[in-house]
Amino acid sequence: MVPEMTDCVSNNPLSAQDSVLLENQVCFPLYSASNAVIRTYRPLLDKLDLTYSQYLVMMVLWESDGVSVKDVGARLYLDSGTLTPLLKRLEGKGLVERGRSEQDERVRVLKLTEAGVLLKTQALTVPAEMKCKIKLDLDELLLLKKLCEKVISTLEK
Amino acid sequence: MVPEMTDCVSNNPLSAQDSVLLENQVCFPLYSASNAVIRTYRPLLDKLDLTYSQYLVMMVLWESDGVSVKDVGARLYLDSGTLTPLLKRLEGKGLVERGRSEQDERVRVLKLTEAGVLLKTQALTVPAEMKCKIKLDLDELLLLKKLCEKVISTLEK
DNA sequence: CTCTATTCAATTGCACACAATACAAATGAG
DNA sequence: CTCATTTGTATTGTGTGCAATTGAATAGAG
């Protein structure tokens, strides 16, 4: 057993047996909350004919149109295996054009269509509707955000 | 616009335009953190030949063997569309038997095999290894857990 | 300037999540 | 007791996530 692991184990106040009780997991609530949030977004995003992942990609493009697949992936922590088919669906809906960079032929340059730009208008009410459903104080929301970001920055290294 | 929604909107300190900035989303870090955690579990669970979802199901069964598909679903907030194929895979690995209740023929009774019971021994080190990788204080972990549980209890109603 | 290494995206394969639907077993109102 | 309703699983179809592999384009070492 590596030293760091031993340290971690020794700091764990739970017995080994109790450690695999669902009740004592932190990651399970995180996973369930994420699932629950995506489920809750669904009826809101159905009006825009977007899935949650597609909505995330659209947010990136509304913010910085003309970026590459890699850029979107870096922003959303998703790889081309996830993004390529997703972007093809957005292209199929007429929201995005998947062009090529002139400097580097390998790079896909993602450009919003007029419909893609216009969809932002319909999306503006979504965050407020979601905030309404989730019923957490602003303090709690910001704290949750900060803790999740800390988890991400630790694990993404 | 429904009244409750108006209330939520008016409490939102962000402009409508800023509301769809990725930076201002709470759910995105939650979603990314959940993905990052599952990715981090992968190499640990590969040793047990389990996916994260399968690991969750096994934890339920280690805790309460002999329950039904519905019981597992209620515990993990998952439905039969997710659980049926997952349980068939666990059955295929020889970890679980998918029997029938004698009282009610519709009910699948899930019973751990000897191998399924024994796998718990190998799983005992996983939580400590994970805690080591996630590098959060116990305080932060408990706070994150509590906030996620609050999100779940609000959205699952 | 050539050849190798790296990079960006696409593809493939597997395992979820989940809505929608189907279906058989059990329940219950009349 | 009977049949409509409810309940517990299973099935189907769509859309992710992600590892692994491939392939083409570029960059870099010599």
Side-chain angles (χ1 to χ4, degrees):
Chain A
M1 203 181 272
V2 291
E4 305 93 281
M5 231 178 79
T6 311
D7 288 342
C8 287
V9 171
S10 65
N11 285 334
N12 193 332
L14 297 173
S15 75
Q17 286 292 322
D18 286 352
S19 71
V20 286
L21 288 180
L22 197 58
E23 175 64 25
N24 295 326
Q25 306 301 313
V26 175
C27 299
F28 167 59
L30 188 65
Y31 155 89
S32 293
S34 174
N35 285 345
V37 160
I38 293 174
R39 266 197 303 275
T40 307
Y41 263 112
R42 198 179 303 266
L44 306 180
L45 294 178
D46 277 350
K47 298 171 195 165
L48 313 187
D49 188 29
L50 291 177
T51 65
Y52 183 64
S53 308
Q54 292 167 8
Y55 172 64
L56 290 177
V57 170
M58 290 303 289
M59 276 198 285
V60 171
L61 296 180
W62 287 326
E63 214 166 308
S64 46
D65 197 6
V67 296
S68 69
V69 173
K70 191 193 175 184
D71 294 332
V72 174
R75 201 94 163 69
L76 300 180
Y77 312 100
L78 295 173
D79 73 355
S80 70
T82 302
L83 290 175
T84 296
L86 190 158
L87 287 164
K88 284 184 178 175
R89 278 178 213 113
L90 290 179
E91 185 182 40
K93 294 178 192 187
L95 299 174
V96 169
E97 277 170 7
R98 298 166 61 246
R100 292 276 187 195
S101 164
E102 297 192 356
Q103 293 81 26
D104 188 336
E105 277 294 316
R106 292 169 305 181
V107 176
R108 281 273 184 206
V109 171
L110 306 169
K111 198 89 188 68
L112 289 172
T113 63
E114 197 175 337
V117 173
L118 278 172
L119 192 65
K120 182 177 177 179
T121 312
Q122 291 181 60
L124 291 179
T125 59
V126 171
E129 293 178 87
M130 195 58 204
K131 183 159 175 280
C132 193
K133 288 196 176 191
I134 211 168
K135 290 195 178 74
L136 286 192
D137 303 335
L138 189 57
D139 291 351
E140 294 175 311
L141 285 175
L142 292 177
L143 190 54
L144 178 56
K145 183 170 186 281
K146 190 130 290 183
L147 287 170
C148 287
E149 284 167 348
K150 192 163 180 179
V151 169
I152 295 165
S153 70
T154 304
L155 297 184
E156 286 297 324
K157 277 186 294 196
Chain B
M1 203 180 272
V2 290
E4 306 92 281
M5 233 180 77
T6 311
D7 287 342
C8 289
V9 171
S10 66
N11 285 335
N12 193 331
L14 297 174
S15 75
Q17 287 292 324
D18 286 352
S19 71
V20 285
L21 290 179
L22 196 59
E23 175 62 27
N24 296 324
Q25 305 301 314
V26 175
C27 298
F28 167 59
L30 187 66
Y31 156 88
S32 293
S34 173
N35 285 344
V37 160
I38 293 175
R39 268 197 302 274
T40 306
Y41 263 112
R42 197 179 305 266
L44 305 180
L45 294 178
D46 276 351
K47 299 170 196 166
L48 314 187
D49 188 29
L50 291 177
T51 65
Y52 182 64
S53 307
Q54 290 168 8
Y55 172 63
L56 290 176
V57 170
M58 290 303 288
M59 276 198 285
V60 170
L61 295 180
W62 287 327
E63 213 167 309
S64 46
D65 197 6
V67 295
S68 69
V69 173
K70 190 191 175 186
D71 294 332
V72 174
R75 201 92 164 72
L76 300 180
Y77 311 101
L78 295 173
D79 72 357
S80 71
T82 301
L83 290 175
T84 296
L86 190 159
L87 288 164
K88 284 183 178 176
R89 279 177 214 114
L90 290 180
E91 186 182 39
K93 295 177 193 187
L95 299 173
V96 170
E97 276 171 9
R98 300 166 58 248
R100 292 278 187 193
S101 163
E102 296 194 355
Q103 294 79 28
D104 187 337
E105 275 295 315
R106 293 168 305 179
V107 175
R108 282 273 183 208
V109 172
L110 305 169
K111 197 89 187 69
L112 288 173
T113 62
E114 195 174 340
V117 173
L118 278 173
L119 192 65
K120 181 177 178 181
T121 312
Q122 291 181 58
L124 291 178
T125 60
V126 172
E129 292 179 88
M130 195 59 203
K131 182 159 175 280
C132 193
K133 288 195 176 193
I134 210 167
K135 289 194 177 76
L136 286 193
D137 303 335
L138 190 56
D139 291 351
E140 295 175 308
L141 284 174
L142 291 177
L143 190 53
L144 178 56
K145 182 169 187 280
K146 192 130 288 185
L147 287 171
C148 287
E149 284 167 348
K150 193 164 180 179
V151 169
I152 296 166
S153 71
T154 303
L155 297 183
E156 285 298 324
K157 275 187 295 195

